[in-house]
Amino acid sequence: MSLKAVSARPIIVPPELPANISASSAGVTGSVLSASDLTLEAVSEILAQATLLEREDPIQRAQRLAKRRIALLFYESSTRTRTSFELAAKGLGADTTLVSSLSSSIEKGETLKDTGLTLRALGAEAIILRHPSSGSPWLLERETQLPVLNAGDGMHEHPSQALLDLRTILAHLRPGIEAVTAETLAGVTVAITGDILHSRVARSNMTLLPKLGARVILCGPRELLPEIAAQTGPGVEIERDFTRALQQSQVVMMLRIQAERLAGLQLDLEEYKAGYQLTEERLAKHAPKALVMHPGPIIRGLELTGEVADGPQSLILEQVRHGVAIRMALVQRALTAQVRKGAGA
Amino acid sequence: MSTVLIRGGHLIDPAAGVDAPRDIVLKDGRVAEVAEPGKTSLGKAKASSDLQIIDAKGLTIAPGLVDIHVHLREPGQGHKETIATGTTAAAAGGFTSVAAMPNTVPTNDSPEITRWMQAPERGASVRVFPIGAATRALKGEVLNDYAALKAAGVVAVTDDGHPILKDSIMREVLINATRSGLSVIQHAEDTRLTGGCSMNAGPMAFRLGLRGMPPEAEYGLVERDIRLVTELSMNGKGDKNGHRPHLHVAHTSTAQAVAAVRQARRNGLRVTCEVAPHHFLLTEEHVGAYDTNAKMNPPLRSAADRDAMIQGILDGVVDAIATDHAPHAAHEKEVEFERAPNGITGLESALGLSLRWLHHEWKLPIGRVLSLLSAQPAALLGLKGRGTLTVGSFADVMVFDPKQEWTFHAKDSRSKSKNTPFDGWTMQGRVHWTISEGRVVYKAEAL
């Protein structure tokens, strides 16, 4: 164990190593686990399908997935996402069943794998999952081989939200466009402001929007927006100054401060509001034409004022409306585009 | 006990400075003779009931490997591994000595448990050297009786996955262990910075929405420990009996921790460290789509950290390759990433990965690789007569083909658990025989 002199060898670059799993593999057709799974072609199809289904006669539409079975597996309470997916599935005629965190099996400590296998055995053909653990949709998909729609996993992603946000943005900035390309949103800057660290909405949007050529500015204090966030992909930048972010943006997405996830982080809310709250004055002065969005639930008086939420630039309720159309398209895609592998039940 | 003659092979015994064709005779559990081909006292003897002959033609003979960091899960968690299954896996990997961590259920903090682990009833294939808990129940509060533990057979003390955070307690641990002639092994992790974290802090953790362990949680504690060792080393003179504390840093994973160890050594301190194969091969990218077989503590780090582990191995600051063999049952890993237990198995892939990458790709001489896996770890824990094949040493031998390529399949593992990120990887260096104290404990099938 003699101590040898440190050699002046250059930094070693190891040869390529086999990677076991790629970071964004959706193994089952029809699944949407991450916004990174979606090609521009898939996005175009989903957008077109959403429009078609939205306009379709409700009686006819209800024949599309008549008596098909979809399980909603919600380990977290949720109003809009759950209702939106449920109405979407029911609008297509599917039977839905909700398993929530108050369900007996979950309270008794059954694993996600076993709950998924039980739902499959009960005849579920697709599962819509909301779960507090990042990555849980991968586990569920792998174990059940069913299409899984990620309805929010931990601090990771919420891809259907990014799609409905995209549809909302397109409706205003690129009306009529559904077949998107890598340039569709060229020249558009979207400022995502607030609690980026804990936001699955931010992660999905910062993955999806740059694919269409949008520039994404992340804005927020260091505690809620670590520098590392800018390294997640192309087209993403950090701007700490909210005023400067607003001045550059055509779209402003505000995020809720997720007090339940702060985990010991000390945040001075008054200071936060002074720096990042979207007020009528700020909006009028720095971004008088910008679209104001928010994935909800909103906390009036914290990340934005009630006046802004109800104001003429706010698209918050329009987002909710687009959500049902987008989720109809996703549910239909999950049940019809799939090639089922080993689904024994 | 029968006699074993291994002949026709090429002996590499780094501790003895031998790298030449040699025949070797094992008798009564010890190495009886090492001689030039055909020159042992047994000459051209034929196999008989008293003499077993191993034909090592075209093969390399080396000291049995020594793993200073394994979890055998007994007592208490036999569904993951038992001393019998873990040591069978060790034998298949070429290991003849393994040092077992004390985070068992109950904790190994008493001579009774230390002796229980070594009892013949456990059915160990290779020698098990228990490592004792530094403090009662790994709580970091009350020191155990090191003299009693040592008398029962422990070779070092550690609180393993429960780092000793209090300066005053770590100081006491170092003083008392030094007095008893034991090394102190520290799992360097400032758990005040890693609560709720499940991978390395970095862009990947951000992208995956997982809380990340910052590198400073590791190197900060390494630096603290080195400060304590500096104070206690009395300018290198040691205590009144001349004993100097020995700090061993377990599974080093960050560039800064290796740098701190390097500096401590330059300052003449007795500070050593080990690196696990996964930390010199994999990076945080291997977490991929939340692969729980890539979840361990310390976590897989950045490419720069991985490169620093390789550099540390090549330039000699790293003393040992240790597996941190940490078996978990399949159902325990088939859960959400954040809920999955930390750890991977490693006994059967350590040699193959080390030869394939350190030797073949990065040109580390084979003797150095073998030394990192045998002589150096044996010396580090003061295992006399292990890690070498000089006459009189224990007859702990590995006979292997250093050039043979093979594919590792987790399903074929002898370990009770199959949690490894190296399933399907091509390895180099196939173990043909493992001999523990003169007994053949592993023989490869279908050679």
Side-chain angles (χ1 to χ4, degrees), chain A residues 1 3-4 6 12 14-15 17-18 20 22 112-113 131 133-135 138-139 155-156 203 228-229 231-232 261, chain B residues 202-203 206-209 211 262 265-266 281 286 289-290 306-307 311 315 334-336 338 357 361-362 421 425:
Chain A
M1 283 192 295
L3 174 58
K4 295 189 175 66
V6 179
I12 294 113
L17 290 162
N20 287 354
S22 84
L112 177 59
K113 170 183 172 170
H131 198 285
S133 285
S134 299
W138 276 262
L139 172 70
M155 310 187 324
H156 180 231
R203 281 181 185 73
I228 214 100
Q231 291 179 36
T232 42
R261 291 186 200 271
Chain B
F206 182 85
R207 201 155 64 225
L208 293 178
R211 293 180 197 275
R262 183 175 280 126
R265 297 260 280 269
R266 282 181 181 154
L281 285 173
H286 283 81
Y290 304 91
R306 188 261 314 269
D307 292 352
Q311 181 73 57
D315 69 26
E334 280 171 352
V335 296
E336 298 84 335
E338 289 163 304
W357 298 97
E361 295 288 342
W362 298 309
W425 279 47

Short mmCIF file of all heavy atoms in Angstrom, two decimals, chain A residues 1 3-4 6 12 14-15 17-18 20 22 112-113 131 133-135 138-139 155-156 203 228-229 231-232 261, chain B residues 202-203 206-209 211 262 265-266 281 286 289-290 306-307 311 315 334-336 338 357 361-362 421 425:
data_model
loop_
_atom_site.label_atom_id
_atom_site.label_comp_id
_atom_site.label_asym_id
_atom_site.label_seq_id
_atom_site.Cartn_x
_atom_site.Cartn_y
_atom_site.Cartn_z
N MET A 1 0.82 -1.21 0.00
CA MET A 1 0.00 0.00 0.00
C MET A 1 0.86 1.26 0.00
O MET A 1 0.59 2.21 0.70
CB MET A 1 -0.91 0.01 1.22
CG MET A 1 -2.09 -0.91 1.05
SD MET A 1 -3.30 -0.62 2.32
CE MET A 1 -2.37 -1.10 3.76
N LEU A 3 2.32 4.72 -1.17
CA LEU A 3 1.71 5.87 -1.82
C LEU A 3 2.55 6.23 -3.04
O LEU A 3 3.71 6.59 -2.94
CB LEU A 3 1.67 7.04 -0.84
CG LEU A 3 1.19 8.38 -1.40
CD1 LEU A 3 -0.21 8.23 -1.98
CD2 LEU A 3 1.21 9.42 -0.32
N LYS A 4 1.92 6.10 -4.19
CA LYS A 4 2.66 6.39 -5.41
C LYS A 4 2.43 7.85 -5.81
O LYS A 4 1.41 8.44 -5.49
CB LYS A 4 2.19 5.47 -6.52
CG LYS A 4 2.51 4.02 -6.23
CD LYS A 4 2.24 3.16 -7.43
CE LYS A 4 2.69 1.73 -7.18
NZ LYS A 4 1.90 1.08 -6.14
N VAL A 6 1.40 10.92 -7.92
CA VAL A 6 0.28 11.10 -8.84
C VAL A 6 0.85 11.39 -10.23
O VAL A 6 1.66 12.28 -10.40
CB VAL A 6 -0.60 12.27 -8.37
CG1 VAL A 6 -1.75 12.46 -9.34
CG2 VAL A 6 -1.12 12.00 -6.99
N ILE A 12 -9.04 10.68 -18.02
CA ILE A 12 -9.42 9.48 -18.76
C ILE A 12 -10.82 9.61 -19.31
O ILE A 12 -11.74 9.97 -18.59
CB ILE A 12 -9.36 8.26 -17.82
CG1 ILE A 12 -7.94 8.02 -17.40
CG2 ILE A 12 -9.90 7.01 -18.50
CD1 ILE A 12 -7.68 8.25 -15.98
N PRO A 14 -13.43 7.20 -20.55
CA PRO A 14 -13.68 5.76 -20.72
C PRO A 14 -14.42 5.49 -22.02
O PRO A 14 -15.16 6.32 -22.50
CB PRO A 14 -14.55 5.41 -19.52
CG PRO A 14 -14.55 6.60 -18.65
CD PRO A 14 -14.20 7.77 -19.48
N PRO A 15 -14.21 4.32 -22.55
CA PRO A 15 -14.93 3.96 -23.77
C PRO A 15 -16.43 3.89 -23.50
O PRO A 15 -16.85 3.86 -22.35
CB PRO A 15 -14.39 2.57 -24.10
CG PRO A 15 -13.29 2.29 -23.16
CD PRO A 15 -13.38 3.24 -22.03
N LEU A 17 -19.89 2.67 -22.72
CA LEU A 17 -20.36 1.53 -21.94
C LEU A 17 -21.79 1.21 -22.36
O LEU A 17 -22.53 2.10 -22.75
CB LEU A 17 -20.35 1.88 -20.45
CG LEU A 17 -18.98 2.03 -19.83
CD1 LEU A 17 -19.07 2.78 -18.53
CD2 LEU A 17 -18.38 0.66 -19.61
N PRO A 18 -22.16 -0.03 -22.27
CA PRO A 18 -23.55 -0.34 -22.60
C PRO A 18 -24.49 0.28 -21.58
O PRO A 18 -24.29 0.13 -20.38
CB PRO A 18 -23.60 -1.87 -22.54
CG PRO A 18 -22.43 -2.28 -21.73
CD PRO A 18 -21.40 -1.21 -21.86
N ASN A 20 -28.13 0.25 -19.95
CA ASN A 20 -29.17 -0.77 -19.86
C ASN A 20 -30.52 -0.29 -20.38
O ASN A 20 -31.21 -0.99 -21.07
CB ASN A 20 -29.31 -1.24 -18.41
CG ASN A 20 -28.13 -2.10 -18.01
OD1 ASN A 20 -27.29 -2.42 -18.84
ND2 ASN A 20 -28.07 -2.47 -16.75
N SER A 22 -32.72 3.24 -21.83
CA SER A 22 -32.67 4.65 -22.20
C SER A 22 -33.62 5.42 -21.29
O SER A 22 -34.53 4.88 -20.71
CB SER A 22 -33.06 4.83 -23.66
OG SER A 22 -34.46 4.87 -23.77
N LEU A 112 -47.57 -1.03 -5.80
CA LEU A 112 -48.05 -0.51 -7.07
C LEU A 112 -48.12 -1.63 -8.10
O LEU A 112 -49.06 -1.74 -8.88
CB LEU A 112 -47.13 0.62 -7.55
CG LEU A 112 -47.45 1.25 -8.90
CD1 LEU A 112 -48.85 1.85 -8.92
CD2 LEU A 112 -46.42 2.32 -9.26
N LYS A 113 -47.10 -2.48 -8.09
CA LYS A 113 -47.08 -3.61 -9.03
C LYS A 113 -48.32 -4.48 -8.85
O LYS A 113 -49.02 -4.80 -9.81
CB LYS A 113 -45.82 -4.45 -8.78
CG LYS A 113 -45.80 -5.78 -9.52
CD LYS A 113 -44.57 -6.62 -9.20
CE LYS A 113 -44.73 -8.00 -9.81
NZ LYS A 113 -43.51 -8.80 -9.75
N HIS A 131 -49.32 9.67 -9.22
CA HIS A 131 -48.58 9.03 -8.13
C HIS A 131 -47.55 10.00 -7.55
O HIS A 131 -46.94 10.76 -8.30
CB HIS A 131 -47.88 7.78 -8.68
CG HIS A 131 -47.44 6.81 -7.62
ND1 HIS A 131 -46.35 7.04 -6.83
CD2 HIS A 131 -47.95 5.62 -7.24
CE1 HIS A 131 -46.21 6.01 -5.99
NE2 HIS A 131 -47.17 5.14 -6.22
N SER A 133 -44.61 9.37 -6.50
CA SER A 133 -43.21 9.01 -6.76
C SER A 133 -42.84 9.23 -8.22
O SER A 133 -43.48 8.69 -9.11
CB SER A 133 -42.97 7.54 -6.42
OG SER A 133 -42.92 7.36 -5.05
N SER A 134 -41.77 9.98 -8.43
CA SER A 134 -41.27 10.17 -9.78
C SER A 134 -40.91 8.81 -10.38
O SER A 134 -40.29 7.99 -9.71
CB SER A 134 -40.01 11.06 -9.75
OG SER A 134 -40.32 12.31 -9.20
N GLY A 135 -41.31 8.61 -11.62
CA GLY A 135 -40.93 7.37 -12.30
C GLY A 135 -41.91 6.22 -12.12
O GLY A 135 -41.76 5.19 -12.78
N TRP A 138 -43.29 4.17 -15.16
CA TRP A 138 -42.41 3.19 -15.82
C TRP A 138 -42.56 1.82 -15.15
O TRP A 138 -42.65 0.80 -15.81
CB TRP A 138 -40.94 3.64 -15.75
CG TRP A 138 -40.55 4.58 -16.84
CD1 TRP A 138 -39.91 4.26 -18.00
CD2 TRP A 138 -40.78 5.99 -16.89
NE1 TRP A 138 -39.72 5.40 -18.76
CE2 TRP A 138 -40.24 6.46 -18.11
CE3 TRP A 138 -41.39 6.89 -16.03
CZ2 TRP A 138 -40.29 7.79 -18.49
CZ3 TRP A 138 -41.44 8.22 -16.40
CH2 TRP A 138 -40.90 8.66 -17.61
N LEU A 139 -42.60 1.87 -13.83
CA LEU A 139 -42.77 0.63 -13.07
C LEU A 139 -44.10 -0.03 -13.42
O LEU A 139 -44.16 -1.22 -13.71
CB LEU A 139 -42.71 0.97 -11.57
CG LEU A 139 -43.06 -0.15 -10.60
CD1 LEU A 139 -41.99 -1.22 -10.59
CD2 LEU A 139 -43.22 0.42 -9.17
N MET A 155 -42.26 14.73 -8.70
CA MET A 155 -41.79 16.02 -9.19
C MET A 155 -41.36 15.90 -10.65
O MET A 155 -40.65 16.74 -11.16
CB MET A 155 -40.58 16.50 -8.38
CG MET A 155 -40.80 16.44 -6.88
SD MET A 155 -39.50 17.19 -5.88
CE MET A 155 -37.97 16.82 -6.73
N HIS A 156 -41.78 14.82 -11.29
CA HIS A 156 -41.21 14.54 -12.61
C HIS A 156 -41.98 15.17 -13.76
O HIS A 156 -41.60 16.23 -14.24
CB HIS A 156 -41.07 13.02 -12.78
CG HIS A 156 -40.51 12.62 -14.09
ND1 HIS A 156 -41.10 11.69 -14.89
CD2 HIS A 156 -39.43 13.06 -14.75
CE1 HIS A 156 -40.40 11.56 -15.99
NE2 HIS A 156 -39.37 12.37 -15.93
N ARG A 203 -41.45 20.57 -15.99
CA ARG A 203 -40.57 19.60 -16.66
C ARG A 203 -41.16 19.12 -17.98
O ARG A 203 -40.44 18.91 -18.95
CB ARG A 203 -40.26 18.42 -15.73
CG ARG A 203 -39.19 18.76 -14.70
CD ARG A 203 -38.87 17.58 -13.81
NE ARG A 203 -37.94 17.97 -12.77
CZ ARG A 203 -38.23 18.72 -11.71
NH1 ARG A 203 -39.46 19.19 -11.58
NH2 ARG A 203 -37.32 19.03 -10.82
N ILE A 228 -28.97 24.04 -12.23
CA ILE A 228 -28.88 22.80 -13.00
C ILE A 228 -30.05 22.65 -13.98
O ILE A 228 -29.97 21.94 -14.97
CB ILE A 228 -28.81 21.61 -12.01
CG1 ILE A 228 -27.94 20.50 -12.55
CG2 ILE A 228 -30.15 21.10 -11.62
CD1 ILE A 228 -26.58 20.52 -11.96
N ALA A 229 -31.16 23.34 -13.69
CA ALA A 229 -32.36 23.21 -14.53
C ALA A 229 -32.08 23.61 -15.98
O ALA A 229 -32.69 23.08 -16.90
CB ALA A 229 -33.48 24.06 -13.96
N GLN A 231 -29.62 22.90 -17.67
CA GLN A 231 -28.89 21.84 -18.38
C GLN A 231 -29.79 20.69 -18.81
O GLN A 231 -29.30 19.65 -19.25
CB GLN A 231 -27.78 21.27 -17.49
CG GLN A 231 -26.65 22.24 -17.24
CD GLN A 231 -25.60 21.62 -16.32
OE1 GLN A 231 -25.32 20.45 -16.39
NE2 GLN A 231 -25.03 22.45 -15.46
N THR A 232 -31.09 20.83 -18.63
CA THR A 232 -31.95 19.69 -18.93
C THR A 232 -32.16 19.47 -20.42
O THR A 232 -32.52 18.39 -20.83
CB THR A 232 -33.32 19.83 -18.24
OG1 THR A 232 -33.74 21.17 -18.40
CG2 THR A 232 -33.25 19.46 -16.80
N ARG A 261 -44.32 20.23 -0.75
CA ARG A 261 -43.08 19.60 -1.20
C ARG A 261 -41.84 20.36 -0.76
O ARG A 261 -40.72 19.99 -1.10
CB ARG A 261 -43.05 19.49 -2.72
CG ARG A 261 -44.05 18.50 -3.29
CD ARG A 261 -43.85 18.33 -4.77
NE ARG A 261 -45.04 17.79 -5.41
CZ ARG A 261 -45.26 16.49 -5.55
NH1 ARG A 261 -44.40 15.62 -5.14
NH2 ARG A 261 -46.37 16.07 -6.13
N GLY B 202 -27.69 16.46 -9.64
CA GLY B 202 -27.14 16.86 -10.93
C GLY B 202 -28.26 17.00 -11.94
O GLY B 202 -29.44 16.87 -11.59
N PRO B 203 -27.90 17.25 -13.19
CA PRO B 203 -28.94 17.47 -14.21
C PRO B 203 -29.88 16.28 -14.37
O PRO B 203 -31.07 16.44 -14.61
CB PRO B 203 -28.15 17.73 -15.50
CG PRO B 203 -26.72 17.47 -15.19
CD PRO B 203 -26.55 17.44 -13.71
N PHE B 206 -32.45 16.32 -11.65
CA PHE B 206 -33.44 17.36 -11.92
C PHE B 206 -34.42 16.88 -12.98
O PHE B 206 -35.63 17.02 -12.83
CB PHE B 206 -32.77 18.67 -12.37
CG PHE B 206 -33.76 19.76 -12.59
CD1 PHE B 206 -34.21 20.53 -11.54
CD2 PHE B 206 -34.32 19.95 -13.86
CE1 PHE B 206 -35.19 21.50 -11.74
CE2 PHE B 206 -35.30 20.91 -14.07
CZ PHE B 206 -35.73 21.70 -13.01
N ARG B 207 -33.88 16.31 -14.05
CA ARG B 207 -34.72 15.86 -15.16
C ARG B 207 -35.70 14.77 -14.69
O ARG B 207 -36.85 14.74 -15.09
CB ARG B 207 -33.82 15.31 -16.26
CG ARG B 207 -34.44 15.27 -17.61
CD ARG B 207 -33.39 15.33 -18.71
NE ARG B 207 -32.50 14.18 -18.71
CZ ARG B 207 -31.18 14.25 -18.83
NH1 ARG B 207 -30.58 15.42 -18.92
NH2 ARG B 207 -30.44 13.16 -18.85
N LEU B 208 -35.22 13.88 -13.85
CA LEU B 208 -36.07 12.77 -13.40
C LEU B 208 -36.98 13.16 -12.23
O LEU B 208 -37.78 12.35 -11.78
CB LEU B 208 -35.21 11.57 -12.99
CG LEU B 208 -34.43 10.88 -14.11
CD1 LEU B 208 -33.59 9.74 -13.55
CD2 LEU B 208 -35.37 10.34 -15.19
N GLY B 209 -36.82 14.38 -11.73
CA GLY B 209 -37.65 14.80 -10.62
C GLY B 209 -37.36 14.05 -9.33
O GLY B 209 -38.26 13.75 -8.56
N ARG B 211 -34.89 13.87 -5.79
CA ARG B 211 -34.03 14.68 -4.94
C ARG B 211 -32.62 14.10 -4.98
O ARG B 211 -32.45 12.88 -4.89
CB ARG B 211 -34.55 14.71 -3.51
CG ARG B 211 -35.87 15.46 -3.39
CD ARG B 211 -36.37 15.48 -1.96
NE ARG B 211 -37.79 15.83 -1.93
CZ ARG B 211 -38.28 17.07 -1.94
NH1 ARG B 211 -37.44 18.08 -1.96
NH2 ARG B 211 -39.58 17.29 -1.92
N ARG B 262 -5.98 11.54 -1.04
CA ARG B 262 -4.65 11.69 -1.64
C ARG B 262 -3.82 12.68 -0.81
O ARG B 262 -2.66 12.42 -0.48
CB ARG B 262 -4.80 12.19 -3.08
CG ARG B 262 -3.50 12.32 -3.83
CD ARG B 262 -3.74 12.71 -5.29
NE ARG B 262 -4.12 11.58 -6.10
CZ ARG B 262 -5.22 11.51 -6.86
NH1 ARG B 262 -6.06 12.52 -6.89
NH2 ARG B 262 -5.47 10.44 -7.59
N ARG B 265 -2.75 11.28 2.56
CA ARG B 265 -1.62 10.34 2.44
C ARG B 265 -0.31 11.09 2.26
O ARG B 265 0.72 10.71 2.80
CB ARG B 265 -1.88 9.40 1.27
CG ARG B 265 -3.11 8.54 1.52
CD ARG B 265 -2.70 7.18 1.98
NE ARG B 265 -2.31 6.42 0.83
CZ ARG B 265 -3.16 5.67 0.15
NH1 ARG B 265 -4.41 5.55 0.53
NH2 ARG B 265 -2.76 5.01 -0.89
N ARG B 266 -0.38 12.17 1.45
CA ARG B 266 0.83 12.98 1.29
C ARG B 266 1.27 13.54 2.63
O ARG B 266 2.45 13.75 2.88
CB ARG B 266 0.57 14.14 0.33
CG ARG B 266 0.59 13.72 -1.12
CD ARG B 266 0.35 14.93 -1.99
NE ARG B 266 0.32 14.54 -3.39
CZ ARG B 266 -0.33 15.21 -4.32
NH1 ARG B 266 -1.01 16.31 -4.01
NH2 ARG B 266 -0.30 14.81 -5.57
N LEU B 281 -17.24 2.44 -13.17
CA LEU B 281 -17.78 2.12 -14.49
C LEU B 281 -19.04 2.89 -14.87
O LEU B 281 -19.21 3.26 -16.02
CB LEU B 281 -18.11 0.62 -14.57
CG LEU B 281 -16.90 -0.30 -14.71
CD1 LEU B 281 -17.34 -1.75 -14.61
CD2 LEU B 281 -16.20 -0.05 -16.03
N HIS B 286 -26.88 5.99 -15.90
CA HIS B 286 -27.35 4.60 -15.89
C HIS B 286 -28.62 4.39 -15.07
O HIS B 286 -29.19 3.31 -15.09
CB HIS B 286 -26.24 3.66 -15.40
CG HIS B 286 -25.21 3.40 -16.47
ND1 HIS B 286 -24.20 4.28 -16.74
CD2 HIS B 286 -25.08 2.38 -17.35
CE1 HIS B 286 -23.49 3.80 -17.75
NE2 HIS B 286 -23.99 2.67 -18.13
N ALA B 289 -34.35 4.87 -17.04
CA ALA B 289 -35.77 5.03 -16.74
C ALA B 289 -36.05 4.46 -15.35
O ALA B 289 -36.75 3.48 -15.20
CB ALA B 289 -36.61 4.35 -17.81
N TYR B 290 -35.47 5.10 -14.37
CA TYR B 290 -35.72 4.74 -12.96
C TYR B 290 -35.40 3.27 -12.67
O TYR B 290 -36.19 2.55 -12.08
CB TYR B 290 -37.17 5.05 -12.57
CG TYR B 290 -37.56 6.49 -12.81
CD1 TYR B 290 -38.12 6.90 -14.02
CD2 TYR B 290 -37.34 7.44 -11.84
CE1 TYR B 290 -38.45 8.22 -14.24
CE2 TYR B 290 -37.68 8.78 -12.05
CZ TYR B 290 -38.25 9.15 -13.25
OH TYR B 290 -38.57 10.46 -13.48
N ARG B 306 -16.64 9.62 -11.98
CA ARG B 306 -16.27 8.28 -12.43
C ARG B 306 -14.83 8.27 -12.94
O ARG B 306 -14.04 7.38 -12.61
CB ARG B 306 -17.25 7.82 -13.50
CG ARG B 306 -17.11 6.37 -13.94
CD ARG B 306 -16.33 6.18 -15.23
NE ARG B 306 -16.70 7.07 -16.29
CZ ARG B 306 -17.63 6.79 -17.22
NH1 ARG B 306 -18.27 5.65 -17.17
NH2 ARG B 306 -17.89 7.64 -18.18
N ASP B 307 -14.49 9.31 -13.72
CA ASP B 307 -13.11 9.39 -14.23
C ASP B 307 -12.10 9.53 -13.08
O ASP B 307 -10.99 8.99 -13.15
CB ASP B 307 -12.96 10.58 -15.19
CG ASP B 307 -13.74 10.37 -16.48
OD1 ASP B 307 -14.27 9.26 -16.67
OD2 ASP B 307 -13.84 11.32 -17.27
N GLN B 311 -8.86 7.32 -12.30
CA GLN B 311 -7.56 7.96 -12.11
C GLN B 311 -6.96 7.54 -10.77
O GLN B 311 -5.78 7.21 -10.67
CB GLN B 311 -7.74 9.49 -12.18
CG GLN B 311 -6.46 10.28 -12.00
CD GLN B 311 -5.56 10.19 -13.23
OE1 GLN B 311 -5.98 10.52 -14.34
NE2 GLN B 311 -4.34 9.72 -13.05
N ASP B 315 -3.44 5.66 -10.40
CA ASP B 315 -2.27 6.29 -9.78
C ASP B 315 -2.00 5.79 -8.36
O ASP B 315 -1.06 6.23 -7.71
CB ASP B 315 -2.33 7.82 -9.87
CG ASP B 315 -3.41 8.43 -9.01
OD1 ASP B 315 -3.79 7.83 -8.00
OD2 ASP B 315 -3.88 9.54 -9.34
N GLU B 334 -38.68 -4.12 -6.89
CA GLU B 334 -39.75 -3.87 -7.86
C GLU B 334 -40.74 -2.85 -7.32
O GLU B 334 -41.95 -3.10 -7.23
CB GLU B 334 -40.51 -5.18 -8.14
CG GLU B 334 -39.82 -6.10 -9.10
CD GLU B 334 -40.50 -7.46 -9.17
OE1 GLU B 334 -41.41 -7.74 -8.36
OE2 GLU B 334 -40.11 -8.25 -10.04
N VAL B 335 -40.23 -1.74 -6.89
CA VAL B 335 -41.09 -0.70 -6.33
C VAL B 335 -40.66 0.64 -6.91
O VAL B 335 -39.70 0.71 -7.68
CB VAL B 335 -41.01 -0.66 -4.79
CG1 VAL B 335 -41.53 -1.94 -4.17
CG2 VAL B 335 -39.57 -0.41 -4.34
N GLU B 336 -41.36 1.70 -6.51
CA GLU B 336 -41.03 3.03 -6.97
C GLU B 336 -39.56 3.33 -6.62
O GLU B 336 -39.09 2.96 -5.54
CB GLU B 336 -41.94 4.06 -6.28
CG GLU B 336 -43.42 3.90 -6.60
CD GLU B 336 -44.13 2.88 -5.71
OE1 GLU B 336 -43.47 1.96 -5.18
OE2 GLU B 336 -45.34 3.01 -5.54
N GLU B 338 -37.90 5.83 -5.57
CA GLU B 338 -37.60 6.48 -4.29
C GLU B 338 -37.78 5.54 -3.09
O GLU B 338 -37.19 5.76 -2.05
CB GLU B 338 -38.50 7.71 -4.11
CG GLU B 338 -38.13 8.85 -5.02
CD GLU B 338 -39.24 9.89 -5.15
OE1 GLU B 338 -40.37 9.53 -5.52
OE2 GLU B 338 -38.96 11.06 -4.89
N TRP B 357 -12.19 -3.90 -17.84
CA TRP B 357 -12.07 -2.45 -17.99
C TRP B 357 -10.73 -1.92 -17.49
O TRP B 357 -10.03 -1.22 -18.21
CB TRP B 357 -13.25 -1.74 -17.31
CG TRP B 357 -14.53 -2.15 -17.97
CD1 TRP B 357 -15.40 -3.12 -17.56
CD2 TRP B 357 -15.04 -1.70 -19.24
NE1 TRP B 357 -16.42 -3.27 -18.46
CE2 TRP B 357 -16.24 -2.42 -19.49
CE3 TRP B 357 -14.61 -0.75 -20.17
CZ2 TRP B 357 -17.00 -2.22 -20.64
CZ3 TRP B 357 -15.38 -0.55 -21.32
CH2 TRP B 357 -16.55 -1.28 -21.54
N GLU B 361 -8.99 -2.34 -20.99
CA GLU B 361 -9.24 -1.03 -21.60
C GLU B 361 -8.27 0.04 -21.11
O GLU B 361 -7.81 0.87 -21.88
CB GLU B 361 -10.67 -0.56 -21.33
CG GLU B 361 -11.74 -1.43 -21.97
CD GLU B 361 -11.82 -1.27 -23.49
OE1 GLU B 361 -11.31 -0.27 -24.03
OE2 GLU B 361 -12.39 -2.18 -24.13
N TRP B 362 -8.01 0.04 -19.81
CA TRP B 362 -7.20 1.13 -19.27
C TRP B 362 -5.77 0.71 -18.94
O TRP B 362 -5.03 1.45 -18.32
CB TRP B 362 -7.91 1.80 -18.08
CG TRP B 362 -9.20 2.40 -18.53
CD1 TRP B 362 -9.39 3.24 -19.59
CD2 TRP B 362 -10.51 2.18 -17.98
NE1 TRP B 362 -10.71 3.55 -19.73
CE2 TRP B 362 -11.42 2.92 -18.76
CE3 TRP B 362 -10.98 1.44 -16.91
CZ2 TRP B 362 -12.79 2.92 -18.50
CZ3 TRP B 362 -12.33 1.45 -16.65
CH2 TRP B 362 -13.23 2.20 -17.44
N PRO B 421 -26.83 -4.19 -11.95
CA PRO B 421 -26.97 -3.46 -13.22
C PRO B 421 -26.11 -4.07 -14.32
O PRO B 421 -26.12 -3.59 -15.45
CB PRO B 421 -26.48 -2.06 -12.86
CG PRO B 421 -25.52 -2.26 -11.74
CD PRO B 421 -25.97 -3.49 -11.00
N TRP B 425 -23.72 -8.15 -19.27
CA TRP B 425 -22.45 -7.50 -19.63
C TRP B 425 -21.38 -8.56 -19.94
O TRP B 425 -21.34 -9.62 -19.33
CB TRP B 425 -21.95 -6.63 -18.47
CG TRP B 425 -22.59 -5.29 -18.41
CD1 TRP B 425 -23.93 -5.02 -18.50
CD2 TRP B 425 -21.94 -4.02 -18.21
NE1 TRP B 425 -24.14 -3.66 -18.37
CE2 TRP B 425 -22.95 -3.04 -18.19
CE3 TRP B 425 -20.61 -3.64 -18.04
CZ2 TRP B 425 -22.66 -1.68 -18.01
CZ3 TRP B 425 -20.32 -2.30 -17.85
CH2 TRP B 425 -21.34 -1.33 -17.85
#
